[in-house]
Amino acid sequence: MAYGQHQSFYLRDRWLSKGLNHLLEDERFFYNKESFEKIGLGKNMLQSLRFWVVATRVVEEKFNKEQKKAHHLTPLGEIIYKFDRFVQFGETAAILHYEIAKEKEPATAWYWFFNVFPQYSISKDELLQSFIQWVSKEEDREVSIKSLKRDIECLIKLYTAGHSTFDPEEVVQSPLYKIGIIEERNNVIYKKVAKVENIGLMPLMYTLLDYKDRKGIDTVAVDEIVNEKGLWGKIFNMDRASIVNALELLTNQSIYHLSFTRTNNLDTVKLPAVSPLEYLEFEYKRKVESLI
């Protein structure tokens, strides 16, 4: 598991676009000495951007032919770069959030907060202590408390920077604040039940299709969607009523709709026979065309 790799900087507006632009020109961009000057970021911010492009899974790090580390856009990254590299759509923000939080690596704090940590309101200090306790149980090695504290502070900022018009430190907002799933008031952190209109139906279907591919299934129980790590109840803080409402909306999609079967014993969902990336490409094209 990994901690503190963001250098205490949350993902800023326009950062992904900047990073992807440069990586398309130079796969070794993050390792070149003059890169921070080219992109107009400080050295620590550049390291942070390197973390975020990988954590959002729009970029992957591999060894090139010379056995040197290099970065390339993933298929997801190519789709987002093509249709919404400035993260103007709430749907894109929700997809990026999902990719950050769905697995333990590389954004462990995010995985823990959304998938493991059960409380919906807690003071910032108590939140840090809960994270420290969990890490100490999970890790054989000692992890710096400072790194864990930076993770918690960065996590909160990623979803709240941009909400306040009174805090001068929030002049640069995060693209993920628009999904509205965390709120901070009087040093208390609140997980908020995500509204379907803030997330969008496209990311909700994408998460189910991604889950289908990863698990090798074509049906999923509503109880799983509510309780399973990496699905709506955890990732988007959604309660059962919100989940059922969103599922019913997805059954009405004209193309790539799901089938929702409700019984006394087990409510199940049959997912359409399309890959998550094919679905995203189709929906982004349709969304962009509707705006022209």
Side-chain angles (χ1 to χ4, degrees):
M1 297 188 289
Y3 312 96
Q5 295 183 1
H6 42 71
Q7 308 296 313
S8 299
F9 294 107
Y10 60 87
L11 181 64
R12 263 71 166 173
D13 263 353
R14 310 276 173 164
W15 269 21
L16 283 186
S17 176
K18 284 184 175 183
L20 297 181
N21 276 334
H22 284 284
L23 287 174
L24 285 170
E25 296 176 0
D26 180 5
E27 66 177 17
R28 292 271 301 161
F29 176 75
F30 285 119
Y31 300 104
N32 296 333
K33 291 181 180 179
E34 70 279 3
S35 290
F36 74 97
E37 294 177 342
K38 286 183 178 180
I39 201 170
L41 296 175
K43 291 181 179 179
N44 287 344
M45 280 189 169
L46 184 64
Q47 288 185 38
S48 177
L49 176 55
R50 176 179 146 194
F51 166 78
W52 286 117
V53 296
V54 173
T56 53
R57 304 183 204 280
V58 297
V59 165
E60 59 184 344
E61 185 178 80
K62 290 183 175 181
F63 288 99
N64 63 16
K65 294 177 181 178
E66 290 78 37
Q67 290 301 303
K68 293 180 179 180
K69 286 184 179 180
H71 290 88
H72 297 276
L73 271 64
T74 61
L76 173 64
E78 290 173 354
I79 291 172
I80 289 176
Y81 183 80
K82 180 179 179 181
F83 293 105
D84 190 23
R85 64 180 181 270
F86 297 118
V87 195
Q88 294 176 306
F89 302 144
E91 291 96 329
T92 306
I95 289 166
L96 295 175
H97 160 67
Y98 165 70
E99 293 294 344
I100 292 169
K102 72 179 183 181
E103 294 178 355
K104 284 185 179 180
E105 298 281 358
T108 302
W110 279 256
Y111 171 85
W112 167 79
F113 182 77
F114 289 101
N115 292 287
V116 178
F117 182 66
Q119 293 176 239
Y120 273 70
S121 64
I122 190 171
S123 73
K124 193 184 294 187
D125 290 340
E126 290 173 324
L127 180 62
L128 174 60
Q129 290 306 312
S130 294
F131 186 41
I132 291 170
Q133 290 171 11
W134 180 78
V135 170
S136 67
K137 291 178 182 178
E138 295 289 316
E139 293 281 9
D140 294 328
R141 62 190 173 99
E142 187 173 340
V143 179
S144 164
I145 301 299
K146 288 183 178 179
S147 292
L148 301 183
K149 184 177 181 181
R150 285 196 293 267
D151 273 341
I152 294 299
E153 290 174 348
C154 187
L155 185 153
I156 294 166
K157 281 290 186 184
L158 184 66
Y159 300 99
T160 60
H163 282 177
S164 172
T165 57
F166 304 104
D167 187 346
E169 292 185 1
E170 293 190 6
V171 172
V172 182
Q173 69 183 25
S174 161
L176 270 62
Y177 91 92
K178 57 176 71 75
I179 59 178
I181 57 174
I182 291 181
E183 186 175 356
E184 181 181 6
R185 298 196 309 270
N186 301 320
N187 211 39
V188 177
I189 309 305
Y190 298 88
K191 282 184 181 178
K192 298 176 66 181
V193 175
K195 297 178 179 179
V196 173
E197 57 265 32
N198 289 344
I199 303 169
L201 293 176
M202 177 170 65
L204 293 175
M205 179 68 94
Y206 171 73
T207 62
L208 292 181
L209 293 173
D210 187 50
Y211 185 76
K212 179 190 78 165
D213 273 15
R214 289 189 289 131
K215 298 293 184 179
I217 58 174
D218 59 6
T219 60
V220 59
V222 173
D223 284 346
E224 284 182 77
I225 300 173
V226 174
N227 299 308
E228 189 68 25
K229 293 179 176 71
L231 287 178
W232 301 358
K234 300 292 188 182
I235 295 290
F236 296 113
N237 307 332
M238 294 175 71
D239 56 28
R240 189 180 183 91
S242 300
I243 287 170
V244 169
N245 176 57
L247 289 171
E248 289 175 342
L249 292 172
L250 285 169
T251 63
N252 296 323
Q253 298 291 290
S254 58
I255 301 176
Y256 300 135
H257 60 274
L258 52 77
S259 301
F260 183 20
T261 304
R262 306 191 68 177
T263 66
N264 291 330
N265 297 322
L266 184 66
D267 297 344
T268 58
V269 175
K270 183 172 177 58
L271 299 169
V274 61
S275 77
L277 294 173
E278 287 174 323
Y279 172 76
L280 275 191
E281 180 98 19
F282 173 81
E283 288 294 335
Y284 268 121
K285 280 181 181 176
R286 191 162 69 164
K287 184 174 183 65
V288 170
E289 287 170 0
S290 71
L291 298 174
I292 298 174

